[in-house]
Amino acid sequence: MDNPSKIMEGGIEYSLGKFDGKSVLYDFPKILVYLNAKGKLLFGENFKIYKEDRDILLKLCSYFIKDKVNCDKFEIDIKKGLLLSGPVGCGKTSLMKLLRHLVPLRRPYEMIPSRNVTFSFNHLGYKTIEDYGNTKFYCFDDLGVEPPGRFYGKDCNVMGEVLLSRHELFLQTKQKIKTHATTNLNAEELEDRYGNRVRSRMRELFNLIAFDENAGDKRK
């Protein structure tokens, strides 16, 4: 039987903790070693796990490995998706691309730039909203800064509509269909962008995990 506490990357075996035959007892420092190595493989040698991001990473890892004790402590609901917010360049997208590798046996989500959803709508119309309201798992990247939707002269708040569809799906499937997102906007800005109705659905869809607003731009 495979040992789910170990992951092979680039010919090296990484241990994430101990496997007792039923479940994995994860070890956070070991997880960080693995994520650092996997990040270098995915994003290049300059990738590193920053000390100041450890608190955020502990929350994100607790969610992905379904560590109930930590999730309760951080008030994270495992049934909901994640909305990772923070300033431009703080590493939100990289972390969401990276963390899906932490639990390889679990169903992965697709990273979709929110602007691509709007571009698709402007080209294909309402079929786009139907397409993203399906049973796949998505992480919508850069939510809130996508261009306006317009199809045959009609304006549409495309990502707002997609989130409403995803929320309906979330309720219908008893929280089995997850939606994640990253955003540079804060709660008020999201409400301005999508309106009160979408914002209240977002509270039901997402756990909000936020970087410090003074987090530096790691791309500089």
Side-chain angles (χ1 to χ4, degrees):
M1 183 183 168
D2 285 344
N3 183 338
S5 71
K6 299 193 183 322
I7 296 184
M8 288 293 289
E9 282 302 344
I12 299 170
E13 185 177 79
Y14 293 90
S15 166
L16 304 179
K18 290 194 181 91
F19 182 55
D20 65 5
K22 285 185 182 165
S23 58
V24 179
L25 299 162
Y26 285 94
D27 180 329
F28 185 55
K30 286 182 176 174
I31 287 177
L32 290 182
V33 170
Y34 165 70
L35 291 176
N36 207 37
K38 181 66 177 173
K40 285 187 184 337
L41 288 171
L42 287 174
F43 309 116
E45 274 306 307
N46 291 337
F47 177 86
K48 67 174 185 181
I49 297 285
Y50 289 82
K51 211 166 159 188
E52 63 266 29
D53 293 344
R54 281 184 163 214
D55 290 352
I56 282 262
L57 268 164
L58 180 56
K59 289 179 184 175
L60 292 170
C61 291
S62 300
Y63 171 85
F64 280 103
I65 63 177
K66 298 190 172 179
D67 178 333
K68 193 164 171 1
V69 175
N70 266 339
C71 284
D72 287 350
K73 186 171 101 185
F74 298 130
E75 296 182 355
I76 293 170
D77 183 342
I78 292 169
K79 294 192 192 86
K80 295 181 182 181
L82 293 175
L83 176 61
L84 186 57
S85 80
V88 171
C90 67
K92 303 179 294 294
T93 304
S94 302
L95 288 184
M96 288 306 284
K97 283 181 176 170
L98 178 59
L99 280 156
R100 58 187 171 174
H101 296 282
L102 187 56
V103 276
L105 301 176
R106 212 167 295 148
R107 192 174 164 187
Y109 48 85
E110 222 179 302
M111 294 287 294
I112 305 281
S114 297
R115 66 173 185 277
N116 288 13
V117 181
T118 306
F119 291 149
S120 170
F121 174 85
N122 292 349
H123 182 58
L124 299 168
Y126 289 88
K127 182 182 180 299
T128 299
I129 292 165
E130 280 168 38
D131 288 348
Y132 285 108
N134 67 19
T135 54
K136 279 188 178 171
F137 287 21
Y138 291 114
C139 177
F140 295 110
D141 197 25
D142 261 348
L143 185 67
V145 292
E146 68 278 358
R150 199 171 175 81
F151 187 67
Y152 280 111
K154 275 194 169 170
D155 291 338
C156 176
N157 193 332
V158 179
M159 282 310 303
E161 292 299 324
V162 167
L163 290 173
L164 290 174
S165 295
R166 301 290 300 175
H167 176 260
E168 229 162 87
L169 197 64
F170 178 68
L171 296 182
Q172 283 165 5
T173 59
K174 298 193 168 48
Q175 294 126 350
K176 287 197 179 67
I177 303 295
K178 292 257 171 68
T179 308
H180 306 298
T182 71
T183 185
N184 306 331
L185 306 185
N186 63 31
E188 282 145 40
E189 290 167 327
L190 284 168
E191 189 155 328
D192 286 347
R193 183 77 173 76
Y194 297 113
N196 185 283
R197 180 166 162 244
V198 174
R199 175 79 187 108
S200 75
R201 302 293 192 282
M202 286 171 82
R203 284 192 194 96
E204 291 175 35
L205 258 185
F206 297 124
N207 293 289
L208 176 62
I209 295 184
F211 275 86
D212 187 302
E213 56 195 36
N214 300 317
D217 187 339
K218 299 183 176 85
R219 295 181 290 200
K220 286 180 178 168

